[in-house]
Amino acid sequence: DAGVIQSPRHEVTEMGQEVTLRCKPISGHNSLFWYRQTMMRGLELLIYFNNNVPIDDSGMPEDRFSAKMPNASFSTLKIQPSEPRDSAVYFCASSLEGGYQPQHFGDGTRLSIL
Amino acid sequence: DQQVKQNSPSLSVQEGRISILNCDYTNSMFDYFLWYKKYPAEGPTFLISISSIKDKNEDGRFTVFLNKSAKHLSLHIVPSQPGDSAVYFCAARAIGAGSYQLTFGKGTKLSVIP
């Protein structure tokens, strides 16, 4: 079975540019999560979708960040305009809802803003 | 304030011996605990979990122990193999509102020496 698929794996761009990260969750999973990992803060939850609806976006750092989930098999995380401090690894994860269900992670997008 | 703490940033173990990774938590509302393994340039991979109604869960070479009174859990790997060399993250989820959210520790890097 295919796991969570993220693209691109690496992104290098200049400050001020728009960045779009993509995620395809595991088929049948109805919960989707975007995380950011940095050395200083570890893994932080940015936003959580359930059945394609954003439930909790309290972790989104500021208005430059936005996320969408137009359907059950696709989500995007957009940064506009990007800044050097956004450089991090961004992970997408999905899970089944309810009970004791683990989250399954993609391999991440390593983002570098110059 | 870190609610999930992995106090050992690194651990070295001889192949064939037992690896014990530790994790402490402070939030008494946590009811589900997970261990993830992460190789470089890959996403965290779910390894094993335990709910708060149990004190032990075993899966092959991996066993997780939960001591609720001490707010402590540990992951035992027996016997350790070189392929187990990775960063291990402890994570916890609270019951109630926001129960989808995992809180992660900062990780312990395990090196298994052949």
Side-chain angles (χ1 to χ4, degrees):
Chain A
D1 287 342
V4 176
I5 299 172
Q6 291 187 246
S7 65
R9 291 297 314 275
H10 304 273
E11 176 86 18
V12 180
T13 191
E14 292 189 346
M15 176 179 168
Q17 296 298 306
E18 178 179 292
V19 173
T20 299
L21 311 181
R22 297 173 176 80
C23 175
K24 177 179 168 57
I26 293 172
S27 178
H29 283 189
N30 56 358
S31 294
L32 184 137
F33 308 82
W34 282 100
Y35 287 88
R36 179 170 66 177
Q37 185 183 34
T38 60
M39 289 292 292
M40 289 296 295
R41 300 174 69 92
L43 266 166
E44 299 176 286
L45 178 67
L46 299 178
I47 187 167
Y48 159 58
F49 289 89
N50 183 253
N51 292 321
N52 312 339
V53 176
I55 303 299
D56 182 358
D57 65 355
S58 59
M60 296 286 261
E62 44 196 280
D63 292 346
R64 298 184 296 105
F65 285 68
S66 63
K68 293 182 179 179
M69 192 164 186
N71 57 61
S73 58
F74 183 66
S75 177
T76 59
L77 177 68
K78 190 172 291 187
I79 308 172
Q80 166 63 17
S82 57
E83 297 183 3
R85 60 193 168 120
D86 302 330
S87 298
V89 182
Y90 291 81
F91 290 104
C92 176
S94 71
S95 74
L96 293 167
E97 182 187 7
Y100 298 109
Q101 301 289 347
Q103 295 177 21
H104 298 272
F105 285 75
D107 283 338
T109 296
R110 181 172 293 276
L111 178 63
S112 297
I113 308 297
L114 307 177
Chain B
D1 180 35
Q2 263 191 284
Q3 295 188 60
V4 177
K5 295 180 184 179
Q6 295 177 255
N7 291 319
S8 298
S10 63
L11 175 68
S12 288
V13 172
Q14 206 73 30
E15 181 179 1
R17 299 288 189 100
I18 184 171
S19 295
I20 300 177
L21 296 102
N22 294 303
C23 179
D24 296 297
Y25 62 95
T26 56
N27 188 341
S28 58
M29 297 298 285
F30 286 149
D31 75 328
Y32 182 46
F33 303 88
L34 308 90
W35 284 95
Y36 285 84
K37 178 172 73 173
K38 186 182 181 304
Y39 293 121
E42 294 185 11
T45 301
F46 170 68
L47 198 55
I48 192 169
S49 63
I50 189 168
S51 70
S52 59
I53 60 173
K54 295 185 175 181
D55 54 18
K56 177 182 174 181
N57 189 26
E58 193 171 350
D59 183 1
R61 297 186 297 114
F62 302 92
T63 303
V64 55
F65 294 92
L66 176 62
N67 182 334
K68 289 186 290 293
S69 60
K71 292 191 175 66
H72 177 84
L73 67 155
S74 60
L75 175 68
H76 293 210
I77 306 173
V78 182
S80 301
Q81 299 173 353
D84 296 329
S85 298
V87 177
Y88 289 78
F89 291 95
C90 169
R93 188 196 72 184
I95 57 175
S99 62
Y100 50 84
Q101 184 154 352
L102 291 181
T103 302
F104 286 86
K106 292 287 181 70
T108 297
K109 183 176 182 180
L110 173 66
S111 299
V112 180
I113 304 161

